[in-house]
Amino acid sequence: MKWDALEEEPCSLARTVAVIGDRWSLMILRECFLRKRRFDAFQASLGITRHLLADRLKKLVRFGVLRRIPYMEAPKRYEYILTQKGLDLYPIIMSIVHWGNIHMVDSRGRPMLHEHKTCGKHFDPLMICSECGEPVLAKEVQVHPGPGAREAVASKGRKTKASPA
Amino acid sequence: MKWDALEEEPCSLARTVAVIGDRWSLMILRECFLRKRRFDAFQASLGITRHLLADRLKKLVRFGVLRRIPYMEAPKRYEYILTQKGLDLYPIIMSIVHWGNIHMVDSRGRPMLHEHKTCGKHFDPLMICSECGEPVLAKEVQVHPGPGAREAVASKGRKTKASPA
DNA sequence: CGATAGAGTTCTGTTTTAGAACTGTCAATC
DNA sequence: GATTGACAGTTCTAAAACAGAACTCTATCG
């Protein structure tokens, strides 16, 4: 399966994975949320090859996650800033960081702490249900096909071809 | 940078990306959360090559995200089920799906709807602060180095080498 | 006996990625 | 006024990852 094919899948996970589902895109986004915005800054702190960095930035711009704005004429220089669409990725980034905090830290503890400026405390992100406000657990969630689902092929038995989410 | 190097980084995001930061791992996990658990079931609904599927399953087992349990002797057959560590990935999966629901759907709408069995309603996941219960926005979060941070090289000025999170 | 199912492994050829060097423009320095 | 350095890339080659298809092995089914 090609990356382009992922985008076409009737599955919100696959489509999002087409945008951010490689290690470098996620690492670049980490830098963006840490207020980095220039080519060399990304390159220095990530150790990514310049070739791939150029490529990934292009991709993220193409998907509308980053915007490329000139900050200097002659020579033209650009910086990359998060669009609203990009900012909306924050819960993904935070939940990834949180999982790492719980399951991947060594004996020294967390590399980074997050302070919620609104309340002034170090916090962890918590995922709750938009309707009842209770924490959401995998076992308590039932999925149903939505309007954008692929038509189920309805072959005999319990064999429905695809499994979008 | 190799995948192994990512694991070593003093950054919870990098370490998590080392585990799930490729398209197939995320797609496999989607299937796991949809209760798929067998090799051929994964292969059929993902269209991944068998080679890569075997490889990714091995990786996810090695990282303790999946457990490989025999469900049949002679011939030995195994199925892959989520460990607690794997189940804890749910917020990541859900936030990815949610972003896709908001930003990547076509005119037909969402491919899939999620029902919170606890309250019986279709819902979206919401990320809140564990301390004050308010929704968390990127701009309201300040990061600080934690105990597991790499020693900052403290060069002159505002130039700290790495940017873990 | 031959066919089918399940869970992989092996093979070959194509894509992606890593790592390093190169380009081009401007500003500041020797 | 030639040289160096910052910045934002592009180009090159070799190494690694991936796609697609075929093959293996055990066991049951008709």
Side-chain angles (χ1 to χ4, degrees), chain A residues 1-3 6 9-17 19-24 26-27 30-31 33-36 44-47 63 65 85 87-97 99-106 108-119 121-132 134-151 161-165, chain B residues 1-3 6 9-17 19-24 26-27 30-31 33-36 44-47 63 65 84-85 87-97 99-106 108-119 121-132 134-151 161 163-165:
Chain A
M1 189 190 285
K2 302 286 167 51
W3 283 97
L6 263 190
E9 289 253 317
C11 167
S12 290
L13 188 134
R15 288 176 188 163
T16 304
V17 165
V19 180
I20 60 159
D22 68 286
R23 79 179 125 169
W24 288 124
L26 283 164
M27 297 293 283
R30 172 189 85 179
E31 296 302 307
F33 281 107
L34 289 168
R35 277 81 175 174
K36 293 265 174 67
S45 51
L46 292 177
F63 277 117
V65 166
K85 188 171 174 180
L87 286 166
D88 287 351
L89 288 166
Y90 199 60
I92 299 178
I93 301 290
M94 278 304 289
S95 54
I96 289 175
V97 170
W99 190 85
N101 279 338
I102 302 298
H103 292 290
M104 301 294 287
V105 295
D106 56 35
R108 301 190 307 146
R110 303 184 176 192
M112 203 123 228
L113 302 172
H114 294 256
E115 176 194 343
H116 192 209
K117 287 194 271 186
T118 313
C119 69
K121 296 190 183 134
H122 288 170
F123 75 102
D124 283 324
L126 213 61
M127 186 179 68
I128 64 168
C129 166
S130 60
E131 303 307 309
C132 70
E134 291 297 308
V136 178
L137 298 177
K139 317 208 163 198
E140 295 165 351
V141 174
Q142 180 71 48
V143 293
H144 304 281
R150 175 189 304 180
E151 276 74 75
K161 178 73 194 328
S163 316
Chain B
M1 189 190 283
K2 302 286 165 54
W3 283 96
L6 262 191
E9 290 252 318
C11 167
S12 289
L13 188 134
R15 289 177 188 161
T16 304
V17 165
V19 180
I20 59 159
D22 68 286
R23 80 181 124 167
W24 289 123
L26 283 165
M27 297 293 283
R30 172 189 85 179
E31 296 302 307
F33 280 109
L34 288 169
R35 277 80 176 177
K36 292 265 173 69
S45 52
L46 292 177
F63 277 116
V65 167
Q84 185 56 49
K85 188 171 174 180
L87 286 167
D88 287 351
L89 288 167
Y90 199 60
I92 298 178
I93 301 290
M94 278 304 289
S95 53
I96 289 175
V97 170
W99 190 85
N101 278 338
I102 302 299
H103 292 290
M104 302 293 286
V105 295
D106 55 36
R108 301 190 307 147
R110 303 184 176 193
M112 201 124 229
L113 302 172
H114 294 256
E115 177 194 343
H116 192 209
K117 286 194 272 188
T118 313
C119 70
K121 297 190 183 136
H122 288 172
F123 75 103
D124 282 324
L126 214 61
M127 186 179 69
I128 63 167
C129 166
S130 60
E131 304 307 308
C132 70
E134 291 297 308
V136 178
L137 298 177
K139 317 208 161 197
E140 296 165 351
V141 174
Q142 179 71 48
V143 294
H144 305 281
R150 174 187 304 178
E151 275 74 75
K161 179 71 194 329
S163 316

